[in-house]
Amino acid sequence: MNCSSGLSKENQKLAKTNVVAEEKLIADDLIVQAREATDEDLLVVHTRRYLNKLKWSFVVAAITEIPPVAFLPNFVVQRKVLKPLRTQTGGTIMAGKLAVDRGWAINVGGGFHHCSSDKGGGFCAYADITLAIKFLFERVQGVSRATIIDLDAHQGNGHERDFMDDPRVYIMDAYNRYIYPGDGFAKRAIKRKVELEWGTEDSEYLQKVHTHVEGALNEFKPDIVVYNAGTDILDGDPLGGLAISPQGIVKRDEVVFRAARSRGVPVLMVTSGGYQKRTARIIADSILNLHSLGLLGRDRPACALGSPSLQHTVTDSAKDFSNLSLQ
């Protein structure tokens, strides 16, 4: 993920949700509304010093790469810029619990993989991936090992810095080797590094994803997979520099879900970067494909998302979000 999009991140999130809902894949009352992450939640990972820095508009302008933000009063920045990001961060934390409970969860937002505990960048002000994993380790019984599969076009240097010396977390990262952030120090945390060339196309890309996802999950047995499913790999993306087709993105997501679900490992997916208007449609198509293949369900070959029983269980899991706090 990197910044500078014609659509705001919150509008992109709404677009993704609306497209999925319009397909009647998920009923309105089945879409769980994320809760905004509180300061206490954020302090599980972030330093107080870093959170205090976000009270300065010029700092937020640098992180979001939107210079005019520097001239706005900070109360406006908090409400219009940071609150939506905190809500998406809360959604990722919540989706982690849902994934463990039900086998999978997708946050149509989040994936702020350039932010670490004490530094933001690339539009990433909060370290939602790190937070979700730390919450699970601390508060959910039976979760003590996690694999991050980061397939955004950009290197996920934030979570890599956070988990640099943590043997409980295995990181696979596939990214365009020539673009932001080029963080050599953070690369030391990557257990399976896949550096891609400019203009990489479907055939080569999907072969590498399949080989390395299977290899990662064979090499390290996690209790959860956190999948950063950026769509900035799409051909024509102004920042990603790769040339993957919409069909290639749908197939990529299928490869990851099939590999994890065949091993009985829950999947938390976040949608991360993607800077074209057709991104929302592609994400919806991918979710529809996962559903049609029976990869969105638990203890059954296929999952009827509108069924009363599933609605009841997802709603119950959503209510458990308040119990994730480390207070």
Side-chain angles (χ1 to χ4, degrees):
M1 171 189 281
N2 190 261
C3 179
S4 306
S5 166
L7 291 172
S8 75
K9 294 302 295 181
E10 192 65 10
N11 285 344
Q12 287 184 46
K13 181 180 178 184
L14 288 171
K16 296 167 188 174
T17 306
N18 290 341
V19 171
V20 174
E22 285 167 9
E23 293 290 340
K24 296 183 172 52
L25 170 59
I26 300 176
D28 289 343
D29 56 0
L30 206 66
I31 296 174
V32 178
Q33 296 299 318
R35 297 186 186 181
E36 180 183 354
T38 66
D39 262 15
E40 283 193 78
D41 296 329
L42 297 171
L43 284 167
V44 169
V45 166
H46 291 293
T47 62
R48 172 57 70 183
R49 181 171 176 269
Y50 174 71
L51 295 181
N52 285 339
K53 283 183 178 180
L54 298 180
K55 296 176 182 178
W56 295 93
S57 297
F58 74 90
V59 172
V60 179
I63 290 171
T64 59
E65 302 174 7
I66 306 174
V69 167
F71 302 101
L72 296 174
N74 192 256
F75 75 89
V76 175
V77 174
Q78 293 292 328
R79 186 173 71 248
K80 296 295 186 181
V81 180
L82 293 179
K83 182 176 180 178
L85 299 182
R86 286 193 296 268
T87 301
Q88 292 188 47
T89 297
T92 302
I93 297 169
M94 183 176 177
K97 177 63 162 56
L98 285 165
V100 172
D101 284 352
R102 306 301 158 198
W104 64 276
I106 299 170
N107 182 14
V108 284
F112 304 132
H113 65 160
H114 298 310
C115 187
S116 62
S117 62
D118 60 356
K119 186 178 181 181
F123 201 80
C124 303
Y126 302 109
D128 67 320
I129 291 174
T130 304
L131 279 160
I133 292 172
K134 288 284 184 75
F135 267 81
L136 290 173
F137 284 172
E138 294 289 339
R139 301 295 297 175
V140 178
Q141 187 175 6
V143 180
S144 60
R145 291 159 64 89
T147 289
I148 299 170
I149 297 176
D150 195 331
L151 300 185
D152 187 275
H154 300 82
Q155 176 199 352
N157 60 320
H159 58 72
E160 289 161 8
R161 284 176 170 264
D162 285 336
F163 293 116
M164 178 68 66
D165 298 311
D166 194 330
R168 301 172 299 173
V169 180
Y170 181 106
I171 299 173
M172 170 189 162
D173 199 349
Y175 53 88
N176 183 334
R177 66 192 305 165
Y178 300 108
I179 61 174
Y180 177 92
D183 189 335
F185 175 77
K187 289 179 184 180
R188 292 165 48 189
I190 304 173
K191 300 296 194 297
R192 191 168 282 260
K193 180 170 58 178
V194 186
E195 295 192 321
L196 303 169
E197 300 293 326
W198 287 107
T200 298
E201 297 181 347
D202 285 17
S203 178
E204 178 187 353
Y205 179 77
L206 290 172
Q207 184 273 325
K208 287 183 175 180
V209 167
H210 182 270
T211 297
H212 289 287
V213 167
E214 289 288 334
L217 293 178
N218 287 336
E219 191 172 309
F220 184 87
K221 311 299 183 187
D223 300 309
I224 189 164
V225 166
V226 179
Y227 171 36
N228 197 45
T231 49
D232 51 1
I233 64 171
L234 182 64
D235 186 23
D237 187 278
L239 299 175
L242 303 177
I244 309 305
S245 69
Q247 297 76 18
I249 292 174
V250 170
K251 184 64 178 177
R252 174 201 67 174
D253 295 348
E254 178 186 329
V255 167
V256 175
F257 268 76
R258 194 179 293 282
R261 300 309 307 278
S262 68
R263 293 167 170 81
V265 180
V267 183
L268 159 57
M269 171 176 156
V270 290
T271 52
S272 202
Y275 309 101
Q276 299 184 66
K277 289 185 177 179
R278 55 183 176 151
T279 291
R281 176 73 260 172
I282 294 167
I283 291 170
D285 286 344
S286 179
I287 296 172
L288 288 167
N289 181 61
L290 296 172
H291 175 252
S292 70
L293 294 171
L295 295 173
L296 301 184
R298 185 169 183 174
D299 301 329
R300 52 173 66 92
C303 180
L305 290 178
S307 69
S309 59
L310 183 66
Q311 180 174 331
H312 176 72
T313 55
V314 172
T315 302
D316 282 352
S317 293
K319 290 176 182 176
D320 287 343
F321 179 58
S322 59
N323 296 330
L324 286 177
S325 174
L326 301 186
Q327 300 175 36

